[in-house]
Amino acid sequence: MFVARHIAADHKDLIHDVSFDFHGRRMATCSSDQSVKVWDKSESGDWHCTASWKTHSGSVWRVTWAHPEFGQVLASCSFDRTAAVWEEIVGESNDKLRGQSHWVKRTTLVDSRTSVTDVKFAPKHMGLMLATCSADGIVRIYEAPDVMNLSQWSLQHEISCKLSCSCISWNPSSSRAHSPMIAVGSDDSSPNAMAKVQIFEYNENTRKYTKAETLMTVTDPVHDIAFAPNLGRSFHILAIATKDVRIFTLKPVRKELTSSGGPTKFEIHIVAQFDNHNSQVWRVSWNITGTVLASSGDDGCVRLWKANYMDNWKCTGILKGNGSPVNGNSQQGNSNPSLGSNIPNLQNSLNGSSSGRKHS
Amino acid sequence: MEKMSRVTTALGGSALTGRTMHCHLDAPANAISVCRDAAQVVVAGRSIFKIYAIEDEQFVEKLNLRVGRKPSLNLSCADVVWHQMDENLLATAATNGVVVTWNLGRPSRNKQDQLFTEHKRTVNKVCFHPTEAHVLLSGSQDGFMKCFDLRRKDSVSTFSGQSESVRDVQFSIRDYFTFASTFENGNVQLWDIRRPDRCERMFTAHNGPVFCCDWHPEDRGWLATGGRDKMVKVWDMTTHRAKEVHCVQTIASVARVKWRPECRHHLATCSMMVDHNIYVWDVRRPFVPAAMFEEHRDVTTGIAWRHPHDPSFLLSGSKDSTLCQHLFRDASQPVERANPEGLCYGLFGDLAFAAKESLVSTESGRKPYAGDRRHPIFFKRKLDPAEPFVGLASSALSVFEMEPGSGSMSWFVDTAERYALAGRPLAELCDHNAKVARELGRNQVAQTWTMLRVIYSSPGLASAASLNHSVGKGSSCGLPLMNSFNLKDMAPGLGSETRLDRSKGDTRSDTVLLDSSTTLITNEDNEETEGSDVPADYLLGDVEGEEDELYLLDPEHAHPEEPEYVLPQEAFPLRHEIVDTPPGPEHLQDKADSPHVSGSEADAASLAPVDSSFSLISVSHALYDTRLPPDFFSALVCDMLRFYAEQGDVQMAVSVLIVLGERVRKDIDEQTQEHWYTSYIDLLQRFCLWNVSNQVVKLSTSRAISCLNQASTTLHVNCSHCKRPMSSRGWVCDRCHRCASMCAVCHHVVKGLFVWCQGCSHGGHLQHIMKWLEGSSHCPAGCGHLCEYS
């Protein structure tokens, strides 16, 4: 059962992104009001704003946390064509007394000539790396060669996507069998029906990112994209927020079968496609084990999706933005309309697939 | 339609029509100005000065005002302005400080009218009086503003700003005598044209230069200023002190600002550096531009609304040598593209959700659209100037938390903390973990552990357990005692069975049978129970004929137990191996006779052969113990582990991997194992389960994992007496020849945790000190200090 805890965010314009840190105890929000706020969870479970500062001179589209191994580090990207890296300063100051922490800008990445629409830290095993994408269709990958020095970032790769980029996602898999991979979505709304999702893979031999796949079936503007956490799967799962929610699986075709040296080939299957939001889907987010997908759309609802043991994806819960229960999901005849009875099912099915049979 | 009609009336009969278009200029533009008929535009630059007619489909060059053979600096324009009352009158500001007026009504090719060479440096701005035909104002880099009467040869009055260069001068539209000027140092001054001695009012508007200002066309008090500090500020000048009413933060320094006609709160800006776009802002929503024009490839230098009463046509000139007409409806609207929602899944299954308030709140009032699912609830709204402003957009932020009882990841934490992974026999580990899983309500996982235990734990224990299950299913031989999963029982089972056959009527066989099936079949056991040797011999040395019987027997006994199980078939090839072993034939004769005919004597006589067969038996046991189950089950178990991993329960995969150890390890490729380990460790670290994570690292056999804890950890030790670094020779200091950090209780060197009292600096092993303090609060070193430990 979910309990809605409303937070007076006090942002002066739209909030565009929310992000939990590695341990789930801190949260960062960013807004068009050009500020980023950091929220810390108290013992009682309340969220307190411990920092709020102006980060950019334009809308801040995204905010993301680095792995805590690198310190308390945030990256933000903005309409003002920059991305920035921020670090929390530990030390005695007056701020501490007021329960406020101090964040300083470590670097500004100014390579883009247009709005930077997404920023994501690479999985930890790749080191301290950062990817940005911008409206001019270029994905840039930066690396901090010295993890102790957050002000030095070198531009390692520039990948041209030909389309205005809106979102990126690293493949989080830590397996050596999976080379670094990044998926890029485009919100290009021009009428030509071009594929809006491209997947690039790092090639060890050429030391470059090359296009591995293009999801030809996704031709509508894509607003968000997310690889599921890969905890030991041999294949990858990719969720896409476009005019509906889509879930793809990408199974690497065995290397031996393909010509060595070239990019990995994937067997791509669409395993789910839901238009229950009845509108634009803006965000998709995976739970920590990569088993439940949450999506939010213009209907103001969050919907939860989970696969049963047959790999059939079903809606397992609907959350209303203001916390009220949602009725009238008539197309979901078999699913329980109220929250209370849905979530326990979710809980059960998380524990093991056998219980999944019960409500399949 | 409404707009059109309004435009029509405003223009006195001719509606403005046109499209988004551009034309190429010969040279970069510095400024543009529109004729009052809204049909012509003048473009001025360092080497261009032309008039274009704005037609429906294109710009048409009408007049080139740069005439004459040698280019004059007087023609290098920094600014141009077209008189809003007289269609023939233009003024330019030259970079050499000259102000030139142009009369298009002149019959000659050269339209130059007057030349004022009064400024010493570049004139940044010229401005005609909005209602007075002959009054021209100029502002220059030299810090002076001059007012000219075009009927006279020189300036009427000079205004000294006394504060660096003048960047902009603008006559107030409503106050006849007032003009505003902006300065390089961030000041804005308000002047009365009749009083050149001092300004009426001065205030600091920006950090750094104020590049531009614009009076609101309707609101007589409002002045917009733009500066290098990337801000546009709107000031209310009617109050005693200039009051900042709005502040727009743009992404680059603001070079031009122009109020949008007919839209009280809209203004257009462009930048002089970096940013080539033109933005239209609603000052009430100061963070997101309402519209954006992205046509220019270089800095936009001049912007002008085409008609003072038409909000939809914007003209612009740029350094990229183009002149553009922008239609408002073709503008891109960042507001519409901006993502109105943020969503993030938390570690504990909680969801943070931020959404535009209108999306969240209006929904509740709206009736569900169950019938028409295709109804587009979201369509691109046109920015209609007449549309009432809905107010500042804001988002509602909420976190959906799992209730404590149903916390979706608590099972993970509990399981991780309570699982036993090593340090006990396999069966106990499995039992313990099954119990943990069951207590947490994870029945499938519990079942899996139980099955693993049955599969892998040693036969004696397993059959003892399975005894309980199979009571009542008894048959004449030992086989019924076997659990269907428990192949290892085959060995003793068969052994006892053959024994049974061999020594019919022998009462001893029953007891032996029980013994062998309930105790561990190991070498020691075989030695102890002499009887087991005998059937073993028989088993090996039996003639071929009887083998078939055995084969037939086994399936018969096995099948009633678990008909669908295919184990027995799997077992037989192994038999062949044993039977086919070379030593067989030689010993056959001896053994066939020895145990049978003369009991103990034969034993002694055939000691060597018995030993050899004995070793064979133990080999066969070894084969059963380690090879058969993995051979048979490993594929299944591996599949199971993969299944768990794919279900997101990498915890189970890794736990089983660790518990089973060598039994399954070799059947799963190294990379997969490593992937599981890293994933699980990452998860554990997320939940701050450092101890468990360390245990997993320690127990892992993958080299890449186990070295995780060995990287970049160095221990430096200093001597506690002389404070010098200790050499590598141990715990005795080279210099002072004393043992470092002795425990005050046991007088041994403390190599691990050293705890000491900060008062007397004596201390020692944590356990020792704790124990000591239970009995006495004085220092164990005998210094008499009442030690305090926090």
Side-chain angles (χ1 to χ4, degrees):
Chain A
M1 178 95 182
F2 279 104
V3 184
R5 195 186 279 273
H6 295 288
I7 299 167
D10 199 28
H11 274 294
K12 294 185 179 65
D13 207 311
L14 287 186
I15 297 173
H16 297 296
D17 198 18
V18 203
S19 174
F20 281 115
D21 80 333
F22 183 75
H23 296 296
R25 308 234 174 95
R26 314 190 83 182
M27 183 168 74
T29 54
C30 64
S31 159
S32 261
D33 69 5
Q34 308 175 352
S35 69
V36 165
K37 287 178 195 247
V38 173
W39 307 79
D40 282 294
K41 197 174 188 176
S42 69
E43 293 296 323
S44 59
D46 295 323
W47 291 93
H48 295 288
C49 180
T50 55
S52 170
W53 72 103
K54 182 175 182 298
T55 49
H56 289 275
S57 47
S59 297
V60 188
W61 299 132
R62 289 278 200 164
V63 63
T64 185
W65 293 86
H67 192 280
E69 188 175 297
F70 306 115
Q72 291 298 308
V73 177
L74 278 173
S76 59
C77 65
S78 163
F79 182 73
D80 73 0
R81 304 163 177 205
T82 64
V85 177
W86 307 87
E87 188 180 21
E88 189 177 28
I89 295 299
V90 192
E92 298 298 315
S93 74
N94 291 336
D95 287 346
K96 273 277 181 292
L97 301 175
R98 289 185 287 114
Q100 297 292 296
S101 62
H102 187 56
W103 290 76
V104 292
K105 187 192 273 186
R106 289 302 185 200
T107 197
T108 308
L109 307 170
V110 294
D111 300 274
S112 173
R113 310 295 300 158
T114 54
S115 171
V116 183
T117 47
D118 201 353
V119 60
K120 291 276 160 63
F121 282 104
K124 190 198 81 177
H125 63 266
M126 291 172 62
L128 189 48
M129 287 181 99
L130 191 64
T132 65
C133 71
S134 50
D136 57 2
I138 296 177
V139 174
R140 293 180 175 83
I141 296 172
Y142 298 87
E143 183 172 18
D146 175 10
V147 296
M148 301 304 290
N149 183 1
L150 289 168
S151 50
Q152 286 283 334
W153 291 82
S154 55
L155 179 58
Q156 297 283 334
H157 303 281
E158 274 194 326
I159 312 168
S160 174
C161 299
K162 311 280 195 299
L163 282 174
S164 153
C165 301
S166 59
C167 48
I168 43 175
S169 176
W170 288 96
N171 182 358
S173 170
S174 59
S175 167
R176 276 189 289 129
H178 304 142
S179 11
M181 193 158 69
I182 194 162
V184 187
S186 164
D187 64 349
D188 184 281
S189 51
S190 56
N192 60 341
M194 280 180 74
K196 297 296 192 297
V197 175
Q198 301 172 54
I199 295 165
F200 296 89
E201 195 188 41
Y202 183 66
N203 187 319
E204 290 290 347
N205 299 326
T206 59
R207 302 192 176 183
K208 281 199 172 77
Y209 280 85
T210 46
K211 193 187 286 185
E213 289 294 342
T214 306
L215 300 186
M216 299 308 292
T217 53
V218 185
T219 52
D220 296 291
V222 171
H223 302 114
D224 200 8
I225 194 165
F227 272 110
N230 186 339
L231 307 178
R233 268 190 220 106
S234 58
F235 58 93
H236 314 297
I237 305 181
L238 184 65
I240 292 168
T242 170
K243 65 173 201 264
D244 46 20
V245 183
R246 294 189 202 185
I247 303 170
F248 288 89
T249 58
L250 293 88
K251 289 192 174 69
V253 178
R254 290 218 159 269
K255 273 275 187 198
E256 302 90 70
L257 300 178
T258 62
S259 57
S260 60
T264 318
K265 287 284 164 235
F266 293 95
E267 263 180 54
I268 299 178
H269 296 287
I270 181 160
V271 292
Q273 182 167 5
F274 300 106
D275 57 359
N276 301 35
H277 284 291
N278 287 353
S279 56
Q280 294 287 347
V281 181
W282 288 110
R283 288 284 186 236
V284 283
S285 178
W286 289 95
N287 73 339
I288 199 66
T289 53
T291 49
V292 184
L293 176 73
S295 66
S296 73
D298 257 335
D299 59 352
C301 292
V302 178
R303 287 166 201 266
L304 303 176
W305 312 95
K306 184 178 179 354
N308 69 0
Y309 72 107
M310 293 282 286
D311 210 25
N312 282 328
W313 289 80
K314 293 256 165 69
C315 179
T316 58
I318 305 171
L319 300 166
K320 193 75 186 65
N322 54 11
S324 63
V326 172
N327 302 310
N329 50 337
S330 55
Q331 65 272 22
Q332 282 282 324
N334 57 344
S335 121
N336 303 315
S338 75
L339 267 176
S341 47
N342 263 327
I343 304 310
N345 278 352
L346 167 65
Q347 162 62 12
N348 284 340
S349 42
L350 272 173
N351 289 344
S353 70
S354 67
S355 52
R357 283 160 218 231
K358 277 183 269 173
H359 67 104
S360 66
Chain B
M1 270 299 128
E2 274 177 29
K3 197 198 296 173
M4 280 310 203
S5 60
R6 192 174 64 238
V7 167
T8 308
T9 51
L11 299 178
S14 63
L16 277 188
T17 52
R19 61 181 184 100
T20 295
M21 58 186 181
H22 71 272
C23 82
H24 190 78
L25 309 171
D26 305 325
N30 272 348
I32 62 168
S33 187
V34 193
C35 175
R36 89 175 170 155
D37 66 1
Q40 298 176 83
V41 59
V42 59
V43 182
R46 211 164 258 279
S47 51
I48 183 174
F49 189 23
K50 283 180 180 174
I51 291 174
Y52 286 84
I54 311 165
E55 298 187 350
D56 278 1
E57 293 296 314
Q58 59 187 342
F59 291 104
V60 177
E61 185 180 327
K62 274 192 76 180
L63 189 61
N64 188 354
L65 290 159
R66 274 178 81 88
V67 290
R69 280 172 301 279
K70 62 175 175 55
S72 159
L73 270 181
N74 298 348
L75 291 169
S76 170
C77 303
D79 192 28
V80 64
V81 64
W82 205 320
H83 202 294
Q84 288 307 299
M85 296 180 68
D86 185 348
E87 287 177 18
N88 284 327
L89 191 54
L90 286 127
T92 57
T95 47
N96 62 353
V98 175
V99 175
V100 189
T101 59
W102 307 79
N103 185 357
L104 299 181
R106 284 169 77 107
S108 69
R109 269 187 71 217
N110 192 346
K111 309 288 186 190
Q112 185 171 324
D113 195 15
Q114 291 206 65
L115 205 73
F116 302 102
T117 48
E118 295 193 19
H119 287 294
K120 293 185 190 66
R121 296 182 62 193
T122 300
V123 177
N124 285 321
K125 205 76 188 178
V126 282
C127 178
F128 279 114
H129 195 279
T131 51
E132 197 62 53
H134 304 287
V135 177
L136 177 68
L137 191 65
S138 68
S140 160
Q141 198 74 14
D142 61 14
F144 293 100
M145 294 144 281
K146 286 180 187 290
C147 185
F148 305 96
D149 187 328
L150 299 185
R151 292 162 294 195
R152 292 168 59 169
K153 287 272 179 247
D154 47 13
S155 62
V156 181
S157 46
T158 299
F159 310 87
S160 170
Q162 316 242 327
S163 46
E164 297 185 52
S165 309
V166 184
R167 297 307 302 232
D168 200 356
V169 283
Q170 292 290 338
F171 273 112
S172 167
I173 292 163
R174 295 300 163 104
D175 289 334
Y176 186 88
F177 297 111
T178 309
F179 73 90
S181 56
T182 70
F183 293 86
E184 197 110 326
N185 62 1
N187 285 348
V188 171
Q189 294 178 353
L190 223 57
W191 291 83
D192 188 316
I193 202 153
R194 296 162 295 188
R195 297 194 57 183
D197 53 331
R198 61 176 187 85
C199 65
E200 297 279 291
R201 188 188 288 183
M202 182 170 91
F203 59 94
T204 302
H206 290 267
N207 279 323
V210 189
F211 290 132
C212 53
C213 66
D214 195 31
W215 289 96
H216 197 283
E218 293 149 31
D219 219 316
R220 69 184 242 159
W222 279 15
L223 179 73
T225 58
R228 196 178 63 187
D229 60 0
K230 305 178 184 177
M231 310 249 211
V232 175
K233 291 181 178 176
V234 178
W235 305 90
D236 185 351
M237 311 295 276
T238 52
T239 50
H240 178 62
R241 282 173 58 93
K243 195 177 78 186
E244 182 186 321
V245 280
H246 292 289
C247 178
V248 174
Q249 170 84 59
T250 75
I251 68 172
S253 58
V254 182
R256 301 271 191 255
V257 58
K258 284 277 181 273
W259 287 100
R260 187 177 176 206
E262 307 286 299
C263 295
R264 197 181 140 88
H265 290 100
H266 284 195
L267 47 80
T269 66
C270 66
S271 168
M272 58 171 51
M273 282 182 284
V274 188
D275 193 0
H276 312 155
N277 297 342
I278 303 163
Y279 302 96
V280 177
W281 304 84
D282 187 314
V283 292
R284 291 163 301 178
R285 189 173 184 183
F287 306 112
V288 190
M292 181 161 88
F293 300 101
E294 300 167 292
E295 279 84 0
H296 287 300
R297 300 274 76 86
D298 203 339
V299 170
T300 307
T301 47
I303 50 176
W305 294 95
R306 188 169 156 192
H307 190 273
H309 293 288
D310 187 288
S312 42
F313 293 91
L314 180 70
L315 299 164
S316 68
S318 160
K319 279 242 159 63
D320 65 1
S321 306
T322 56
L323 173 67
C324 274
Q325 173 171 272
H326 312 274
L327 238 67
F328 206 79
R329 65 159 188 269
D330 294 334
S332 69
Q333 297 178 8
V335 184
E336 297 300 322
R337 285 181 75 169
N339 199 326
E341 289 177 347
L343 178 68
C344 189
Y345 229 123
L347 194 54
F348 306 95
D350 37 356
L351 274 160
F353 180 49
K356 193 173 172 180
E357 251 162 13
S358 57
L359 290 180
V360 183
S361 56
T362 57
E363 183 73 12
S364 54
R366 203 173 66 192
K367 65 176 192 295
Y369 38 87
D372 181 17
R373 289 174 53 195
R374 294 286 160 195
H375 178 63
I377 70 150
F378 195 75
F379 49 91
K380 191 175 172 181
R381 274 181 297 124
K382 296 278 172 281
L383 265 181
D384 181 4
E387 181 192 358
F389 190 68
V390 288
L392 257 181
S394 65
S395 290
L397 175 66
S398 41
V399 176
F400 298 106
E401 288 168 2
M402 288 286 194
E403 276 190 341
S406 63
S408 90
M409 285 306 277
S410 61
W411 62 269
F412 177 88
V413 178
D414 287 347
T415 310
E417 279 173 342
R418 291 170 59 187
Y419 264 1
L421 299 178
R424 282 193 263 169
L426 177 69
E428 274 182 49
L429 292 178
C430 290
D431 280 343
H432 175 88
N433 294 345
K435 187 163 153 268
V436 168
R438 198 167 291 115
E439 281 170 12
L440 291 171
R442 307 177 67 211
N443 289 322
Q444 198 198 11
V445 173
Q447 196 63 35
T448 307
W449 281 113
T450 311
M451 282 162 67
L452 287 173
R453 173 198 190 283
V454 170
I455 293 171
Y456 286 103
S457 61
S458 49
L461 286 167
S463 54
S466 59
L467 260 173
N468 304 327
H469 297 292
S470 52
V471 165
K473 293 183 191 170
S475 74
S476 61
C477 65
L479 273 170
L481 291 179
M482 297 194 310
N483 185 289
S484 56
F485 296 115
N486 203 341
L487 256 213
K488 265 155 277 181
D489 276 359
M490 290 297 266
L494 286 171
S496 50
E497 184 190 20
T498 51
R499 204 184 308 135
L500 198 73
D501 287 346
R502 188 87 165 106
S503 50
K504 277 176 192 129
D506 192 343
T507 49
R508 202 187 63 161
S509 64
D510 282 331
T511 57
V512 170
L513 180 132
L514 275 176
D515 277 355
S516 64
S517 59
T518 49
T519 57
L520 281 165
I521 305 293
T522 59
N523 293 349
E524 293 81 27
D525 285 343
N526 286 343
E527 276 167 0
E528 280 163 21
T529 54
E530 203 185 312
S532 62
D533 286 350
V534 181
D537 285 346
Y538 173 81
L539 187 136
L540 279 165
D542 202 5
V543 279
E544 285 78 26
E546 278 203 41
E547 246 179 63
D548 292 335
E549 275 181 40
L550 270 172
Y551 286 150
L552 290 171
L553 263 174
D554 283 323
E556 273 174 24
H557 288 290
H559 277 295
E561 275 294 307
E562 201 73 36
E564 78 277 24
Y565 228 78
V566 284
L567 289 192
Q569 283 94 326
E570 185 78 9
F572 290 120
L574 206 64
R575 270 305 167 82
H576 277 296
E577 275 176 39
I578 295 164
V579 172
D580 291 345
T581 43
E586 277 76 26
H587 303 299
L588 273 185
Q589 298 310 318
D590 302 337
K591 279 177 271 169
D593 294 341
S594 55
H596 207 34
V597 180
S598 55
S600 58
E601 186 191 312
D603 267 347
S606 61
L607 197 64
V610 164
D611 274 351
S612 71
S613 67
F614 183 76
S615 67
L616 274 169
I617 273 291
S618 57
V619 164
S620 75
H621 276 305
L623 285 171
Y624 271 117
D625 279 349
T626 60
R627 216 182 102 200
L628 180 59
D631 270 356
F632 187 74
F633 289 110
S634 62
L636 262 179
V637 172
C638 294
D639 279 351
M640 177 201 79
L641 294 186
R642 286 197 190 93
F643 171 79
Y644 274 112
E646 289 189 1
Q647 294 294 312
D649 191 358
V650 74
Q651 179 176 53
M652 186 66 184
V654 171
S655 303
V656 170
L657 203 57
I658 290 174
V659 166
L660 293 183
E662 289 302 334
R663 294 173 187 86
V664 289
R665 190 171 297 139
K666 58 187 177 303
D667 297 302
I668 300 171
D669 71 284
E670 190 71 13
Q671 280 192 346
T672 310
Q673 287 189 39
E674 210 179 294
H675 190 190
W676 290 350
Y677 275 119
T678 51
S679 305
Y680 186 43
I681 290 165
D682 184 72
L683 263 189
L684 291 169
Q685 292 181 347
R686 275 180 186 271
F687 287 98
C688 300
L689 297 164
W690 310 111
N691 290 339
V692 185
S693 138
N694 264 340
Q695 193 193 10
V696 169
V697 170
K698 216 169 148 187
L699 291 173
S700 78
T701 46
S702 168
R703 185 186 302 269
I705 302 303
S706 49
C707 73
L708 280 181
N709 272 6
Q710 289 155 18
S712 62
T713 304
T714 320
L715 196 64
H716 297 281
V717 185
N718 281 17
C719 174
S720 58
H721 301 292
C722 61
K723 313 263 189 312
R724 313 245 174 161
M726 302 272 281
S727 68
S728 55
R729 280 177 52 204
W731 295 92
V732 180
C733 180
D734 290 343
R735 292 186 174 76
C736 53
H737 303 286
R738 288 161 74 178
C739 282
S741 48
M742 301 269 282
C743 173
V745 180
C746 69
H747 300 286
H748 283 98
V749 175
V750 184
K751 292 180 179 175
L753 282 177
F754 186 90
V755 59
W756 71 96
C757 166
Q758 292 185 335
C760 65
S761 74
H762 292 119
H765 294 103
L766 178 62
Q767 279 94 344
H768 292 161
I769 297 292
M770 278 165 67
K771 203 163 181 184
W772 178 270
L773 288 175
E774 283 171 17
S776 162
S777 57
H778 287 274
C779 178
C783 67
H785 184 249
L786 276 167
C787 287
E788 281 180 37
Y789 292 91
S790 53

